[in-house]
Amino acid sequence: MRMSFAKGVSALAISSILAVGCQTSDSSEEGSADNEANSSLEKSTEEKEQPSESNTQEEEEHGHDHEHDHSHAEDEEAQQIYEGYFEDSQVEDRSLSDWEGDWQSVYPYLQDGTLDEVFAYKAEQDEEMTEEEYKEYYEEGYETEVDRIVMEEEGTVTFFEDGEEYSGEYTYDGYEILTYEAGNRGVRYIFQLEEEADQAPEYIQFSDHSIYPTEADHYHLYWGDDREALLDEVTNWPTYYPSEMDGHEIAHEMMAH
């Protein structure tokens, strides 16, 4: 009787252990299956969210093409303006700060022959004029006794001529749009002397091929006491480049235009 009870207890214990084991095994398999399902779902979601390499490449190429087209259009418009073709509505007022700096006349470089390569280059590009004819044309255009000019942002302009210097304070007096015989146009930006100053001209007029605010890299300058008469001057246009540039740098800059 005792043995039967013990056997019964043992059988019951073994049965319980097997049952627990089966449950644990089933639970582990279910957990493993759930993990695999979750992993598969996450992977599928990542694949959907992550753009394909081909799509990304296409988007980048499209962006580059758009930037290139936009830049090309801007370059064409800038070149048209530089050559004197623009609409009145494009012209904007400018301040003297656009010409701020220390500037030198290019006339001495014409006289010493440094700019001869520029005239030779122009004659190669345009057979209508010879190198000598170009030099004569620019001789008249560049001629000046003012070999240096310093422009300060607040309006002070200092002229250096024959070893002497004189200054004046200038304020903006508007702009004038001029039409030339060739059919292209230009803009004169005009500044007037605030108070009478020894030797300083009443008016200075800038022309630098730009028609809206921008820092000038060179310019043509007209000066005198008669505003309207200066607007008629189209044969003598003293030209100035930054004083830190040497003659050869200026020559190469001219040929680049």
Side-chain angles (χ1 to χ4, degrees):
M1 189 72 179
R2 288 178 181 174
M3 288 181 63
S4 296
F5 177 76
K7 287 180 180 179
V9 171
S10 297
L12 181 60
I14 291 170
S15 177
S16 298
I17 291 171
L18 291 174
V20 171
C22 289
Q23 290 176 356
T24 303
S25 175
D26 292 343
S27 177
S28 296
E29 290 175 359
E30 289 174 1
S32 176
D34 289 342
N35 289 338
E36 290 178 2
N38 290 337
S39 176
S40 177
L41 179 60
E42 290 174 358
K43 183 176 181 181
S44 175
T45 303
E46 289 175 357
E47 289 176 349
K48 290 180 179 179
E49 292 177 350
Q50 184 174 357
S52 68
E53 184 176 345
S54 61
N55 288 341
T56 303
Q57 185 175 356
E58 288 176 2
E59 290 173 358
E60 290 178 352
E61 290 176 353
H62 176 74
H64 291 159
D65 290 343
H66 178 74
E67 291 175 2
H68 175 75
D69 292 343
H70 184 65
S71 176
H72 184 66
E74 287 183 339
D75 290 344
E76 286 187 344
E77 180 179 294
Q79 185 61 34
Q80 287 288 312
I81 290 173
Y82 185 89
E83 294 174 358
Y85 300 98
F86 52 84
E87 300 295 330
D88 289 3
S89 59
Q90 293 178 276
V91 182
E92 299 177 18
D93 292 314
R94 298 172 68 179
S95 67
L96 194 63
S97 61
D98 280 359
W99 299 276
E100 179 185 2
D102 194 322
W103 305 87
Q104 61 177 323
S105 167
V106 301
Y107 187 49
Y109 295 123
L110 180 146
Q111 292 177 302
D112 68 14
T114 302
L115 301 184
D116 284 353
E117 61 177 318
V118 178
F119 309 135
Y121 174 79
K122 287 182 176 293
E124 290 177 1
Q125 301 298 309
D126 182 1
E127 298 180 355
E128 292 185 4
M129 293 176 67
T130 66
E131 178 181 346
E132 291 73 20
E133 288 172 332
Y134 267 113
K135 187 166 185 176
E136 291 176 4
Y137 171 75
Y138 282 97
E139 170 86 33
E140 183 178 6
Y142 291 159
E143 184 178 6
T144 182
E145 297 298 324
V146 177
D147 54 15
R148 181 185 171 208
I149 299 176
V150 175
M151 307 277 184
E152 298 179 31
E153 184 176 2
E154 67 272 14
T156 302
V157 179
T158 303
F159 300 83
F160 295 81
E161 181 177 0
D162 294 331
E164 298 181 359
E165 63 180 83
Y166 48 92
S167 301
E169 301 288 332
Y170 289 85
T171 56
Y172 186 55
D173 192 42
Y175 63 79
E176 298 286 347
I177 300 175
L178 307 181
T179 300
Y180 306 125
E181 289 184 4
N184 59 335
R185 304 194 300 166
V187 179
R188 295 274 185 94
Y189 287 95
I190 305 170
F191 294 81
Q192 184 175 14
L193 190 65
E194 284 188 9
E195 298 180 1
E196 185 175 345
D198 186 35
Q199 291 185 272
E202 181 71 18
Y203 294 96
I204 56 176
Q205 300 181 359
F206 293 87
S207 175
D208 62 1
H209 311 286
S210 294
I211 61 173
Y212 39 68
T214 185
E215 291 184 6
D217 52 21
H218 76 280
Y219 59 86
H220 310 293
L221 190 67
Y222 309 79
W223 60 86
D225 297 330
D226 189 327
R227 190 182 194 276
E228 295 304 316
L230 286 176
L231 294 175
D232 293 331
E233 177 57 77
V234 293
T235 58
N236 177 234
W237 15 267
T239 302
Y240 295 84
Y241 275 77
S243 292
E244 65 266 20
M245 297 179 70
D246 64 33
H248 293 291
E249 290 174 329
I250 291 174
H252 293 161
E253 181 69 19
M254 288 178 173
M255 289 186 286
H257 290 295

